[in-house]
Amino acid sequence: MAGIDITNRDSLHRVLEDEASMAFPFAPSSFLPTGKSEPANLADRSGAPPAYRETFASMALILEALGAPEAGQVALARALDQGADLAAAALDLGIAFAQGGCPSAAASLFRRVILLLPAHAEAHARLGEALAAQRRPEESLEALENARRLDPLRAATHLSVIPVLNELGRGETAEAYCREAVGLLPRHVGLRCALAHLLLNRGRAGEAAELFEQARALEPRAVEAHHGLVAALQALHLPALAARALVRFSHILTDAGDAAAAALALRRAAALDPALDACAA
C-alpha cells in the first residue's frame, strides 16, 4: 500500500487491480467495479490461499474508497472468512489516507478499527489527529483523551493533544498537560521541546531556554532543541549566546557529515555576532 496516491481515483484502481491479481491469480479482471459487471461476481471466486488473506482486506477497503461499497462488502466477507486482520488493514489504509490529505476518509477507517478493537490506543489517537485536521477540536480532544487513557505512555498522543488545546484557547491547560506528559516521559526530547515552545510562545523565554538546554543535553543532535534554544536566546535579547549555541550546533552537524547545514548555522551565528570566533566558541 505504500506510495500510492490515494487522492487519485485511477491510482486506486491500479492498486486494486494489483491486489486482485494477487488474490485471484486464476480469475479475470472482469469483476472490477467498472460498471460493466456485477460486484457480486466476487463471491463466485474460489477461496484464495491463506497467504493472500490480507489482500482481501485491502481490496475491501480500496473498493469502498472508490465508491463501490457492495463490491467492498463482498471482498470484506471473504477477508473475514479467510481470517484476515481487517483492523490492521483498516489502520494502515487510514494512515495512508491521512498522509495523503484525506482526513475524513481516514477518520472513517480509524472508527472501523475502534469498532473492531475498542481498546486500540493508536486508532483512537489517529482518529483524534484526523478530526483535528478537519478543524473539529472538541471531537479531536475526546478521541485523544481516550487514547491517552488507554496508553498514557504513547508520546505521539501527548504531542497531538497540545495543539488541539491551544486551538481551543486553553493555553494554561495545555501547559499543565504538557508538564504532566514530560513527567511521565522525562527523557522524551520532543515533549520537552513542545513544552519549551509553548512557554516561548507565551512570553516565558527564560524557562523555554532552560528546557531547550535540557533537551539538547538529552539528545545533542536534536535539531529542534538547538533551533528552539537559539530562538529563546534571541527572545531574551542575548544574540552573543544565541550565536555561540549555533556554533556548537554547527560542530555537531559537521561531525554528522552535514557540511551544508553546518555552514548555514555558522552564517547565522556570524550574522548574530560578527565578532564571534567560531573556533573559540
Side-chain angles (χ1 to χ4, degrees), residues 107 110 114 122-134 136-137 139-144 147 160 164:
F110 297 139
I114 293 167
E122 183 181 355
H124 284 278
R126 291 193 179 276
L127 172 60
E129 293 162 6
L131 292 168
Q134 297 176 71
R136 295 159 65 180
E139 296 170 79
S140 170
L141 185 59
E142 181 181 358
L144 289 167
S160 296
V164 173

mmCIF file of all heavy atoms in Angstrom, residues 107 110 114 122-134 136-137 139-144 147 160 164:
data_model
loop_
_atom_site.group_PDB
_atom_site.id
_atom_site.type_symbol
_atom_site.label_atom_id
_atom_site.label_comp_id
_atom_site.label_asym_id
_atom_site.label_seq_id
_atom_site.Cartn_x
_atom_site.Cartn_y
_atom_site.Cartn_z
ATOM 1 N N ALA A 107 -10.552 9.207 9.052
ATOM 2 C CA ALA A 107 -11.321 9.105 10.294
ATOM 3 C C ALA A 107 -12.310 7.948 10.228
ATOM 4 O O ALA A 107 -12.507 7.220 11.207
ATOM 5 C CB ALA A 107 -12.047 10.422 10.572
ATOM 6 N N PHE A 110 -10.370 4.774 10.836
ATOM 7 C CA PHE A 110 -9.944 4.619 12.231
ATOM 8 C C PHE A 110 -11.133 4.258 13.123
ATOM 9 O O PHE A 110 -10.989 3.493 14.080
ATOM 10 C CB PHE A 110 -9.270 5.902 12.717
ATOM 11 C CG PHE A 110 -8.011 6.246 11.972
ATOM 12 C CD1 PHE A 110 -7.729 7.558 11.610
ATOM 13 C CD2 PHE A 110 -7.107 5.255 11.612
ATOM 14 C CE1 PHE A 110 -6.580 7.871 10.923
ATOM 15 C CE2 PHE A 110 -5.949 5.556 10.914
ATOM 16 C CZ PHE A 110 -5.686 6.883 10.567
ATOM 17 N N ILE A 114 -11.681 1.002 15.686
ATOM 18 C CA ILE A 114 -12.169 1.119 17.064
ATOM 19 C C ILE A 114 -13.385 0.240 17.293
ATOM 20 O O ILE A 114 -13.550 -0.347 18.369
ATOM 21 C CB ILE A 114 -12.470 2.595 17.387
ATOM 22 C CG1 ILE A 114 -11.157 3.396 17.413
ATOM 23 C CG2 ILE A 114 -13.202 2.730 18.715
ATOM 24 C CD1 ILE A 114 -11.346 4.892 17.402
ATOM 25 N N GLU A 122 -3.770 3.422 19.490
ATOM 26 C CA GLU A 122 -3.295 4.155 18.316
ATOM 27 C C GLU A 122 -4.454 4.574 17.416
ATOM 28 O O GLU A 122 -4.438 5.672 16.847
ATOM 29 C CB GLU A 122 -2.307 3.309 17.520
ATOM 30 C CG GLU A 122 -1.726 4.067 16.323
ATOM 31 C CD GLU A 122 -0.764 3.246 15.493
ATOM 32 O OE1 GLU A 122 -0.460 2.097 15.885
ATOM 33 O OE2 GLU A 122 -0.307 3.758 14.441
ATOM 34 N N ALA A 123 -5.458 3.723 17.280
ATOM 35 C CA ALA A 123 -6.606 4.069 16.437
ATOM 36 C C ALA A 123 -7.332 5.289 17.007
ATOM 37 O O ALA A 123 -7.733 6.190 16.260
ATOM 38 C CB ALA A 123 -7.555 2.884 16.322
ATOM 39 N N HIS A 124 -7.531 5.329 18.325
ATOM 40 C CA HIS A 124 -8.165 6.497 18.955
ATOM 41 C C HIS A 124 -7.323 7.747 18.710
ATOM 42 O O HIS A 124 -7.861 8.823 18.396
ATOM 43 C CB HIS A 124 -8.330 6.262 20.451
ATOM 44 C CG HIS A 124 -9.444 5.336 20.808
ATOM 45 N ND1 HIS A 124 -10.770 5.756 20.882
ATOM 46 C CD2 HIS A 124 -9.452 4.015 21.126
ATOM 47 C CE1 HIS A 124 -11.533 4.727 21.234
ATOM 48 N NE2 HIS A 124 -10.765 3.664 21.380
ATOM 49 N N ALA A 125 -6.000 7.614 18.875
ATOM 50 C CA ALA A 125 -5.124 8.767 18.695
ATOM 51 C C ALA A 125 -5.153 9.272 17.258
ATOM 52 O O ALA A 125 -5.244 10.486 17.004
ATOM 53 C CB ALA A 125 -3.695 8.397 19.091
ATOM 54 N N ARG A 126 -5.089 8.348 16.318
ATOM 55 C CA ARG A 126 -5.088 8.763 14.914
ATOM 56 C C ARG A 126 -6.449 9.329 14.505
ATOM 57 O O ARG A 126 -6.526 10.217 13.650
ATOM 58 C CB ARG A 126 -4.664 7.605 14.025
ATOM 59 C CG ARG A 126 -3.186 7.252 14.203
ATOM 60 C CD ARG A 126 -2.686 6.331 13.127
ATOM 61 N NE ARG A 126 -1.280 5.999 13.279
ATOM 62 C CZ ARG A 126 -0.274 6.747 12.838
ATOM 63 N NH1 ARG A 126 -0.531 7.884 12.203
ATOM 64 N NH2 ARG A 126 0.981 6.371 13.012
ATOM 65 N N LEU A 127 -7.515 8.831 15.111
ATOM 66 C CA LEU A 127 -8.827 9.442 14.872
ATOM 67 C C LEU A 127 -8.810 10.884 15.354
ATOM 68 O O LEU A 127 -9.307 11.792 14.666
ATOM 69 C CB LEU A 127 -9.913 8.643 15.597
ATOM 70 C CG LEU A 127 -11.313 9.262 15.588
ATOM 71 C CD1 LEU A 127 -11.825 9.430 14.155
ATOM 72 C CD2 LEU A 127 -12.283 8.412 16.404
ATOM 73 N N GLY A 128 -8.248 11.108 16.535
ATOM 74 C CA GLY A 128 -8.151 12.466 17.048
ATOM 75 C C GLY A 128 -7.364 13.375 16.124
ATOM 76 O O GLY A 128 -7.745 14.533 15.891
ATOM 77 N N GLU A 129 -6.276 12.868 15.575
ATOM 78 C CA GLU A 129 -5.464 13.663 14.658
ATOM 79 C C GLU A 129 -6.229 13.968 13.370
ATOM 80 O O GLU A 129 -6.140 15.072 12.831
ATOM 81 C CB GLU A 129 -4.163 12.917 14.353
ATOM 82 C CG GLU A 129 -3.242 12.802 15.562
ATOM 83 C CD GLU A 129 -2.182 11.726 15.406
ATOM 84 O OE1 GLU A 129 -2.087 11.144 14.293
ATOM 85 O OE2 GLU A 129 -1.454 11.451 16.376
ATOM 86 N N ALA A 130 -6.966 12.980 12.879
ATOM 87 C CA ALA A 130 -7.749 13.195 11.655
ATOM 88 C C ALA A 130 -8.855 14.225 11.890
ATOM 89 O O ALA A 130 -9.133 15.058 11.024
ATOM 90 C CB ALA A 130 -8.346 11.873 11.178
ATOM 91 N N LEU A 131 -9.475 14.183 13.053
ATOM 92 C CA LEU A 131 -10.513 15.164 13.382
ATOM 93 C C LEU A 131 -9.913 16.559 13.554
ATOM 94 O O LEU A 131 -10.521 17.563 13.161
ATOM 95 C CB LEU A 131 -11.253 14.741 14.651
ATOM 96 C CG LEU A 131 -12.113 13.477 14.507
ATOM 97 C CD1 LEU A 131 -12.569 12.987 15.876
ATOM 98 C CD2 LEU A 131 -13.324 13.748 13.612
ATOM 99 N N ALA A 132 -8.723 16.624 14.127
ATOM 100 C CA ALA A 132 -8.045 17.920 14.267
ATOM 101 C C ALA A 132 -7.760 18.518 12.896
ATOM 102 O O ALA A 132 -7.888 19.734 12.694
ATOM 103 C CB ALA A 132 -6.756 17.753 15.062
ATOM 104 N N ALA A 133 -7.374 17.667 11.947
ATOM 105 C CA ALA A 133 -7.088 18.138 10.589
ATOM 106 C C ALA A 133 -8.343 18.669 9.912
ATOM 107 O O ALA A 133 -8.255 19.464 8.966
ATOM 108 C CB ALA A 133 -6.478 17.015 9.765
ATOM 109 N N GLN A 134 -9.508 18.236 10.395
ATOM 110 C CA GLN A 134 -10.786 18.726 9.857
ATOM 111 C C GLN A 134 -11.307 19.927 10.638
ATOM 112 O O GLN A 134 -12.438 20.360 10.420
ATOM 113 C CB GLN A 134 -11.830 17.604 9.894
ATOM 114 C CG GLN A 134 -11.490 16.412 9.020
ATOM 115 C CD GLN A 134 -12.518 15.299 9.188
ATOM 116 O OE1 GLN A 134 -13.658 15.409 8.740
ATOM 117 N NE2 GLN A 134 -12.114 14.218 9.852
ATOM 118 N N ARG A 136 -12.012 20.090 13.888
ATOM 119 C CA ARG A 136 -13.068 19.662 14.818
ATOM 120 C C ARG A 136 -12.404 19.376 16.169
ATOM 121 O O ARG A 136 -12.278 18.239 16.602
ATOM 122 C CB ARG A 136 -13.785 18.434 14.268
ATOM 123 C CG ARG A 136 -14.545 18.724 12.972
ATOM 124 C CD ARG A 136 -14.827 17.481 12.155
ATOM 125 N NE ARG A 136 -15.714 16.549 12.800
ATOM 126 C CZ ARG A 136 -16.105 15.386 12.263
ATOM 127 N NH1 ARG A 136 -15.654 15.045 11.065
ATOM 128 N NH2 ARG A 136 -16.910 14.579 12.910
ATOM 129 N N PRO A 137 -11.927 20.449 16.842
ATOM 130 C CA PRO A 137 -11.066 20.257 18.013
ATOM 131 C C PRO A 137 -11.730 19.572 19.201
ATOM 132 O O PRO A 137 -11.079 18.803 19.909
ATOM 133 C CB PRO A 137 -10.622 21.684 18.362
ATOM 134 C CG PRO A 137 -11.659 22.573 17.756
ATOM 135 C CD PRO A 137 -12.105 21.869 16.514
ATOM 136 N N GLU A 139 -14.134 17.258 19.228
ATOM 137 C CA GLU A 139 -14.186 15.816 18.957
ATOM 138 C C GLU A 139 -12.779 15.218 18.959
ATOM 139 O O GLU A 139 -12.567 14.097 19.435
ATOM 140 C CB GLU A 139 -14.856 15.558 17.607
ATOM 141 C CG GLU A 139 -16.305 15.983 17.529
ATOM 142 C CD GLU A 139 -16.815 15.923 16.109
ATOM 143 O OE1 GLU A 139 -17.127 14.810 15.651
ATOM 144 O OE2 GLU A 139 -16.877 16.979 15.446
ATOM 145 N N SER A 140 -11.844 15.984 18.424
ATOM 146 C CA SER A 140 -10.459 15.522 18.398
ATOM 147 C C SER A 140 -9.937 15.296 19.809
ATOM 148 O O SER A 140 -9.319 14.261 20.098
ATOM 149 C CB SER A 140 -9.577 16.558 17.685
ATOM 150 O OG SER A 140 -8.209 16.243 17.841
ATOM 151 N N LEU A 141 -10.207 16.243 20.686
ATOM 152 C CA LEU A 141 -9.713 16.132 22.060
ATOM 153 C C LEU A 141 -10.314 14.920 22.757
ATOM 154 O O LEU A 141 -9.623 14.213 23.490
ATOM 155 C CB LEU A 141 -10.045 17.408 22.837
ATOM 156 C CG LEU A 141 -9.490 17.483 24.255
ATOM 157 C CD1 LEU A 141 -7.981 17.382 24.257
ATOM 158 C CD2 LEU A 141 -9.939 18.781 24.928
ATOM 159 N N GLU A 142 -11.593 14.652 22.506
ATOM 160 C CA GLU A 142 -12.237 13.487 23.116
ATOM 161 C C GLU A 142 -11.543 12.191 22.678
ATOM 162 O O GLU A 142 -11.260 11.307 23.506
ATOM 163 C CB GLU A 142 -13.711 13.443 22.731
ATOM 164 C CG GLU A 142 -14.464 12.268 23.341
ATOM 165 C CD GLU A 142 -15.926 12.228 22.940
ATOM 166 O OE1 GLU A 142 -16.383 13.141 22.216
ATOM 167 O OE2 GLU A 142 -16.625 11.270 23.344
ATOM 168 N N ALA A 143 -11.266 12.077 21.374
ATOM 169 C CA ALA A 143 -10.602 10.868 20.872
ATOM 170 C C ALA A 143 -9.188 10.744 21.438
ATOM 171 O O ALA A 143 -8.753 9.653 21.821
ATOM 172 C CB ALA A 143 -10.561 10.893 19.347
ATOM 173 N N LEU A 144 -8.478 11.856 21.507
ATOM 174 C CA LEU A 144 -7.117 11.828 22.024
ATOM 175 C C LEU A 144 -7.087 11.499 23.517
ATOM 176 O O LEU A 144 -6.183 10.804 23.996
ATOM 177 C CB LEU A 144 -6.425 13.170 21.762
ATOM 178 C CG LEU A 144 -6.084 13.442 20.289
ATOM 179 C CD1 LEU A 144 -5.713 14.904 20.085
ATOM 180 C CD2 LEU A 144 -4.951 12.542 19.818
ATOM 181 N N ALA A 147 -7.380 7.874 23.826
ATOM 182 C CA ALA A 147 -6.095 7.248 23.531
ATOM 183 C C ALA A 147 -5.150 7.356 24.716
ATOM 184 O O ALA A 147 -4.442 6.404 25.060
ATOM 185 C CB ALA A 147 -5.471 7.903 22.299
ATOM 186 N N SER A 160 0.029 15.334 20.096
ATOM 187 C CA SER A 160 -1.151 15.728 19.311
ATOM 188 C C SER A 160 -2.152 16.516 20.142
ATOM 189 O O SER A 160 -2.896 17.349 19.609
ATOM 190 C CB SER A 160 -1.828 14.487 18.722
ATOM 191 O OG SER A 160 -0.987 13.831 17.797
ATOM 192 N N VAL A 164 -4.195 20.925 19.922
ATOM 193 C CA VAL A 164 -5.659 20.952 19.985
ATOM 194 C C VAL A 164 -6.110 21.828 21.159
ATOM 195 O O VAL A 164 -7.033 22.641 21.028
ATOM 196 C CB VAL A 164 -6.224 19.525 20.120
ATOM 197 C CG1 VAL A 164 -7.731 19.562 20.366
ATOM 198 C CG2 VAL A 164 -5.925 18.714 18.862
#
